[in-house]
Amino acid sequence: MRYLLVEDDRETADYVSRGFREHGDVVDHAANGQDGLMMATDASYDALIIDRMLPGIDGLKLLNMLRAGGNQTPAIFLTAIGGIEDRVEGLQVAEDYLVKPFAFAELHARIGVLVRSAAPTDAPQTTYSLAGLCLDRLKRTVERNGEAISLQPVEFRLLEYLMRHEDRVVTRTMLLENVWDFNFDPRTNIVETHISRLRSKIDKGFDRPLIHTVRGAGYRLSDDG
């Protein structure tokens, strides 16, 4: 996902940006309304995160200008202005409204709802393939170059997640949350152990590896090494 954060407080901007980047997302930051308007107009984003109290163009006016210009990117106001009338006014133009102070987990969850609600309602993808590696979610089968590979359920979920994020770095935190449903770090080598087991089944005996370690960041499934 790619988000635009329009926030003039540097500490808040760093906190939000770091949180999304740890989930593998891209965050562009604008520190004032004018820059936010220009960036939202010039680029495509999955969601907008906008402070109400901004230098130059305030957040409410900024979003009204975008809507008037036909920009319907889902947006959430992230602001210290928490009065009932302020919320009602904000929700007339934005899809959501979160009052500071806030927990990043709640912001992340709300953004997820916005993005899912705006996504096309196409049928979910059921098969993935890369360099002869094929995974079928419905049949629960995996093969590489036509050779069937037997995976344990957790290994299947791990490979599916990697294939869904082909060519993207996925962090240990992302894997713990999405494969094991852990919202905490168990301080074990559970991720490393299962990656090693998966490699032994997916890559061993084939001409080139597909699962790569990105030092200091996580893992990436890719055919380009």
Side-chain angles (χ1 to χ4, degrees):
M1 296 293 111
R2 185 182 183 188
Y3 304 121
L4 173 63
L5 172 64
V6 190
E7 170 62 66
D8 63 321
D9 181 76
R10 171 54 64 179
E11 184 175 350
T12 300
D14 289 344
Y15 172 63
V16 172
S17 298
R18 182 170 60 252
F20 280 113
R21 286 167 183 156
E22 287 180 353
H23 283 78
D25 300 312
V26 175
V27 179
D28 292 338
H29 173 230
N32 58 69
Q34 291 95 329
D35 288 347
L37 179 63
M38 179 183 66
M39 293 170 69
T41 302
D42 291 346
S44 177
Y45 295 96
D46 294 289
L48 309 174
I49 306 166
I50 304 174
D51 186 13
R52 282 283 302 264
M53 300 176 64
L54 291 168
I57 304 173
D58 68 73
L60 187 64
K61 182 177 180 180
L62 164 62
L63 191 52
N64 272 312
M65 293 172 68
L66 289 172
R67 296 294 189 248
N71 188 321
Q72 298 302 317
T73 303
I76 181 172
F77 280 123
L78 187 64
T79 175
I81 304 177
I84 296 297
E85 292 184 0
D86 297 309
R87 290 172 184 256
V88 171
E89 185 180 35
L91 288 170
Q92 290 176 347
V93 60
E95 283 71 24
D96 203 354
Y97 199 104
L98 183 59
V99 177
K100 301 175 182 177
F102 62 96
F104 175 77
E106 181 177 3
L107 174 61
H108 184 257
R110 290 185 180 221
I111 286 290
V113 171
L114 293 188
V115 172
R116 288 193 298 271
S117 298
T121 56
D122 295 336
Q125 186 173 347
T126 59
T127 61
Y128 299 90
S129 62
L130 172 69
L133 177 64
C134 301
L135 180 147
D136 190 312
R137 294 177 57 206
L138 298 183
K139 296 179 180 178
R140 306 296 290 182
T141 59
V142 175
E143 62 178 40
R144 185 168 180 185
N145 296 347
E147 178 182 332
I149 298 174
S150 177
L151 299 181
Q152 296 296 320
V154 69
E155 295 168 346
F156 188 93
R157 294 196 303 271
L158 177 56
L159 178 60
E160 179 185 346
Y161 190 79
L162 290 170
M163 296 193 79
R164 283 171 50 202
H165 296 80
E166 177 189 334
D167 283 330
R168 292 178 58 185
V169 175
V170 296
T171 66
R172 188 173 187 275
T173 299
M174 293 166 66
L175 293 174
L176 287 171
E177 290 182 351
N178 293 279
V179 177
W180 282 271
D181 199 27
F182 286 171
N183 293 314
F184 63 94
D185 190 338
R187 301 300 178 185
T188 69
N189 62 349
I190 186 174
V191 173
E192 294 76 9
T193 297
H194 282 83
I195 285 287
S196 177
R197 291 176 180 172
L198 187 60
R199 274 187 169 129
S200 70
K201 296 181 178 183
I202 298 301
D203 288 337
K204 188 175 181 180
F206 294 95
D207 58 351
R208 60 184 182 278
L210 298 179
I211 301 175
H212 307 279
T213 298
V214 182
R215 189 176 300 276
Y219 304 95
R220 178 169 57 92
L221 187 79
S222 174
D223 187 32
D224 61 7

